[in-house]
């Protein structure tokens, strides 16, 4: 908990994606990240979700589940996005050890193994359905 307390930085989210879409038209990634944030906060509460930042940024970290999440609209067709998102999770995994690593996308699904680290890529609809 002390590591998380030291490394938490505030992020702000709208509780309504419709409102956010008024301010960020055509920004599907922001809407998807906001959707994931709303669901994580609903499920774990404000004190259960953290945003890790220490030479690497990971969108969400849930200590109770040892779960690190990156959100990206799509990663498999864009090498730069793929490397940025996976590199951040792998780097975080070195700090935390054996974390559950997840990339939530709009529609892509794949199980990645990079440097011996498993990262699950899942579409948002499937991730949301698994929480029920």
């Amino acid at each position: 908990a002390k590591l998380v307390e030291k490394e938490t930085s505030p992020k702000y989210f709208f509780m309504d994606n419709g409102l956010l879409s008024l301010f960020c038209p055509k920004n599907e990634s922001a809407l998807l990240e906001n959707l994931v944030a709303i669901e994580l906060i609903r499920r774990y509460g404000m004190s259960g979700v953290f945003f890790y930042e220490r030479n690497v940024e990971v969108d969400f970290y849930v200590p109770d589940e040892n779960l690190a999440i990156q959100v990206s609209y799509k990663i498999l067709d864009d090498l730069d996005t793929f490397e940025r998102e996976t590199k951040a999770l792998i780097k975080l995994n070195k700090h935390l050890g054996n974390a559950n690593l997840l990339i939530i996308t709009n529609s892509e699904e794949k199980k990645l193994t990079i440097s011996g680290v498993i990262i699950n890529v899942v579409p948002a609809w499937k991730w949301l359905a698994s929480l029920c």
Side-chain angles (χ1 to χ4, degrees):
K2 291 185 181 203
L3 171 68
V4 172
E5 288 170 4
K6 290 178 185 173
E7 300 306 325
T8 298
S9 60
K11 280 189 176 182
Y12 301 97
F13 296 97
F14 285 86
M15 292 310 288
D16 182 341
N17 256 7
L19 249 160
L20 180 60
S21 67
L22 293 173
F23 300 106
C24 299
K26 298 185 182 196
N27 191 342
E28 291 90 2
S29 284
L31 291 170
L32 186 60
E33 184 174 346
N34 195 73
L35 174 73
V36 171
I38 292 167
E39 182 58 31
L40 287 170
I41 291 167
R42 184 194 67 77
R43 186 164 174 91
Y44 299 105
M46 286 296 293
S47 61
V49 181
F50 300 90
F51 317 103
Y52 187 85
E53 209 174 307
R54 182 178 183 175
N55 299 327
V56 63
E57 183 183 330
V58 173
D59 294 329
F60 305 101
Y61 178 65
V62 182
D64 290 345
E65 304 287 330
N66 196 24
L67 173 64
I69 299 174
Q70 288 287 75
V71 180
S72 183
Y73 195 76
K74 64 181 197 171
I75 66 159
L76 299 178
D77 294 337
D78 184 340
L79 185 59
D80 290 337
T81 303
F82 179 86
E83 287 183 6
R84 181 181 64 246
E85 303 295 351
T86 57
K87 189 176 180 180
L89 287 172
I90 291 168
K91 196 169 184 181
L92 178 73
N93 195 55
K94 287 180 184 177
H95 289 291
L96 300 176
N98 214 16
N100 297 314
L101 307 176
L102 185 63
I103 299 175
I104 299 174
T105 65
N106 180 55
S107 60
E108 297 172 327
E109 184 171 10
K110 192 169 188 172
K111 187 174 189 174
L112 305 171
T113 303
I114 302 169
S115 303
V117 176
I118 296 171
I119 301 172
N120 289 303
V121 178
V122 297
W125 69 266
K126 197 171 214 178
W127 176 73
L128 288 166
S130 73
L131 296 175
C132 296

